Amino acid sequence: MTIRVLLADDEPLLRMAFTMVLDAQPDMEAVGEAGDGAEAVLLARRLRPDVVLMDVRMPGTDGIEATGRLVRHCPQTRVLILTTFDLDEYAFAGLRAGASGFLLKNVLPEELLAAIRSVARGDAVVSPRITRRLLENFAHQIPAGGLPEVDERLHRLTPREREVLVEVARGLSNTEIAAGLHLAEATVKTHLGRILTKLELRDRVQAVIFAYENRLVRPA
């Protein structure tokens, strides 16, 4: 199955480079290019791509606003934000707007391609560093004192799945979790998939918030 990708960036040379990388893959196709956020939304509504690679800083409608519009009008299209600037406000604003991932433009081509495939499958692509800093910002919203009512979905997890969920909530990558729990990385991925299914969650970010809301881990 071919993953149809729309590119949104105000730099034509970057769009050309990304198009060449995508079209060289047997399972990907660049279906369109947009120079700003408004054009990206219009093209996405017409072309219905699987994934939009979205720059943040563009003239007119920026990538954050465009992401919010895309999520509302094209719910089947996933957005992967790709930016030059490693700023928390961009990452958090993008995730709040509904983006499925956040990467820097200096990412290796193989990492970008892996991220596109993950997002197309319905996964989230957020680095552990961003997850940790997201939680630092999220922590103040968690009420202190008293034990909250435990979500009944938590009882669906096995003890091992609960362990994996705690490590995910700590912001660890699958590789780090595998090393810490003495598991194969593929086993960690399997556990995470089952966790998301049992808890009826969309992605890793939602799993982290679920764990904090249910006090499986506490903010530092």
Side-chain angles (χ1 to χ4, degrees), residues 72-186:
R72 290 193 298 274
H73 297 299
C74 307
Q76 301 306 313
T77 296
R78 312 280 287 188
V79 178
L80 179 57
I81 289 181
L82 205 59
T83 179
T84 307
F85 304 94
D86 184 16
L87 298 177
D88 286 351
E89 55 263 38
Y90 286 170
F92 301 155
L95 294 173
R96 281 196 300 268
S100 297
F102 179 92
L103 292 175
L104 297 180
K105 287 182 179 177
N106 62 2
V107 66
L108 296 174
E110 55 267 29
E111 293 175 345
L112 173 62
L113 296 171
I116 292 172
R117 293 183 178 104
S118 292
V119 166
R121 288 195 304 268
D123 296 331
V125 178
V126 185
S127 73
R129 179 190 60 79
I130 290 292
T131 300
R132 292 186 186 106
R133 282 167 24 189
L134 177 65
L135 290 174
E136 289 170 4
N137 282 263
F138 175 77
H140 75 278
Q141 303 175 28
I142 301 174
L147 290 176
E149 184 177 346
V150 176
D151 192 306
E152 63 86 22
R153 290 174 294 176
L154 194 57
H155 301 301
R156 302 173 186 174
L157 302 183
T158 66
R160 177 60 88 183
E161 288 166 350
R162 195 165 172 143
E163 272 187 300
V164 171
L165 176 59
V166 168
E167 297 305 297
V168 169
R170 290 177 55 213
L172 301 184
S173 67
N174 288 348
T175 301
E176 291 169 330
I177 295 171
L181 296 181
H182 306 290
L183 299 171
E185 189 170 346

Side-chain angles (χ1 to χ4, degrees), residues 188-201:
V188 173
K189 291 179 181 178
T190 299
H191 281 312
L192 182 55
R194 289 173 179 164
I195 289 167
L196 296 178
T197 299
K198 289 181 178 181
L199 298 182
E200 302 170 22
L201 302 175

Side-chain angles (χ1 to χ4, degrees), residues 8-11 53-58 62-64 67 80-85 105:
D9 196 296
D10 62 341
E11 297 187 36
L53 284 186
M54 182 76 75
D55 188 17
V56 174
R57 299 179 66 170
M58 294 183 287
D62 65 25
I64 304 300
T67 295
L80 179 57
I81 289 181
L82 205 59
T83 179
T84 307
F85 304 94
K105 287 182 179 177

